[in-house]
Amino acid sequence: MKLYNYFRSSASFRVRIALALKGLQYDYVPVHLAKGEQKQPEFAALMPEGLVPMLETGDGLRLTQSMAIIEYLDETHPTPPLLPADAPGRARVRALSQIVACEIHPLNNLRVLKYLVHDLKADDGAKTDWYRHWVAVGLQAYEARMAEGARGTYSHGDTPSLADCCLVPQIFNAQRFDCDLTPYPLTMAVFQACMQLPAFQQAQPSACPDAEP
């Protein structure tokens, strides 16, 4: 398999975590989003959305969108599972995942921040305020969900799930923007538990071959 990704891309980070949790090997193909490499004809021909990640399987199948990729991996390599066996559990994990993937990340990804600065002429302070605001809105919801009912070590129970694949990259990004994470002790306890696992350590941005300071 080949994974086209960018070390700072949280969507790529999600997939790297899932691959590591499942012990799957892949070739790392860097696409530097900040330099616009995703717009080059060679990559654009493969990925019309101009985004990462893209996973190319051994038989030439090209998969896009991190959530779809992870669910594909879970269906084709079911051990360890990233979604619970019960329908209510799967619904909860998907909902937690979407707090990050649908409510926080789309408003704060690189192309949105670039649009704020270059097209809407927002200064760095306004950009940072925008970023921190949407992180706070999303993590408040995540923390409230963590406080519901019986809790485990991770976002749902005592094994990592799709929700943790989404949460950890978002916390990394929030830390990079110096967001105040003290209001979310339950969520941060999950993050710390995840970061004790080799799979999350191996997938983090600083461990990527294209990592930059």
Side-chain angles (χ1 to χ4, degrees), residues 183-213:
Y184 322 113
L186 301 177
T187 301
M188 291 306 295
V190 170
F191 171 76
Q192 296 296 341
C194 289
M195 291 311 299
Q196 298 302 308
L197 299 178
F200 288 84
Q201 296 170 10
Q202 295 163 11
Q204 66 181 306
S206 63
C208 293
D210 58 337
E212 298 172 356

Side-chain angles (χ1 to χ4, degrees), residues 31-111:
V31 180
H32 202 300
L33 299 186
K35 294 180 179 178
E37 290 181 357
Q38 73 277 16
K39 298 177 182 178
Q40 296 300 312
E42 182 179 355
F43 183 74
L46 299 175
M47 183 69 160
E49 298 97 318
L51 300 170
V52 291
M54 179 176 73
L55 183 70
E56 189 174 287
T57 66
D59 57 2
L61 181 65
R62 291 173 182 153
L63 303 170
T64 62
Q65 297 295 334
S66 62
M67 304 291 276
I69 293 171
I70 294 172
E71 291 217 29
Y72 169 86
L73 292 172
D74 212 39
E75 292 172 6
T76 56
H77 300 83
T79 304
L82 297 178
L83 287 166
D86 62 301
R90 290 195 297 275
R92 182 171 187 268
V93 166
R94 287 185 173 117
L96 288 169
S97 303
Q98 289 173 22
I99 289 174
V100 175
C102 300
E103 307 298 335
I104 304 176
H105 178 248
L107 292 164
N108 283 344
N109 67 16
L110 180 62
R111 62 180 180 172

Side-chain angles (χ1 to χ4, degrees), residues 9-175:
S9 162
S10 59
S12 299
F13 193 174
R14 296 170 198 159
V15 176
R16 296 196 303 266
I17 293 169
L19 287 163
L21 285 169
K22 292 180 177 293
L24 298 173
Q25 301 298 312
Y26 60 94
D27 292 331
Y28 187 108
V29 182
V31 180
H32 202 300
L33 299 186
K35 294 180 179 178
E37 290 181 357
Q38 73 277 16
K39 298 177 182 178
Q40 296 300 312
E42 182 179 355
F43 183 74
L46 299 175
M47 183 69 160
E49 298 97 318
L51 300 170
V52 291
M54 179 176 73
L55 183 70
E56 189 174 287
T57 66
D59 57 2
L61 181 65
R62 291 173 182 153
L63 303 170
T64 62
Q65 297 295 334
S66 62
M67 304 291 276
I69 293 171
I70 294 172
E71 291 217 29
Y72 169 86
L73 292 172
D74 212 39
E75 292 172 6
T76 56
H77 300 83
T79 304
L82 297 178
L83 287 166
D86 62 301
R90 290 195 297 275
R92 182 171 187 268
V93 166
R94 287 185 173 117
L96 288 169
S97 303
Q98 289 173 22
I99 289 174
V100 175
C102 300
E103 307 298 335
I104 304 176
H105 178 248
L107 292 164
N108 283 344
N109 67 16
L110 180 62
R111 62 180 180 172
V112 169
L113 298 180
K114 281 188 171 183
Y115 183 78
L116 285 173
V117 172
H118 297 301
D119 293 79
L120 300 184
K121 309 305 179 184
D123 60 24
D124 285 342
K127 179 187 78 171
T128 299
D129 287 346
W130 168 279
Y131 189 97
R132 291 173 178 169
H133 170 78
W134 295 114
V135 167
V137 169
L139 291 186
Q140 286 166 10
Y142 207 99
E143 183 75 4
R145 294 301 182 190
M146 290 297 94
E148 292 177 343
R151 297 191 300 272
T153 304
Y154 303 101
S155 293
H156 185 83
D158 292 319
T159 57
S161 69
L162 172 63
D164 302 301
C165 293
C166 292
L167 175 65
V168 166
Q170 184 58 64
I171 297 298
F172 265 74
N173 282 351
Q175 290 173 332

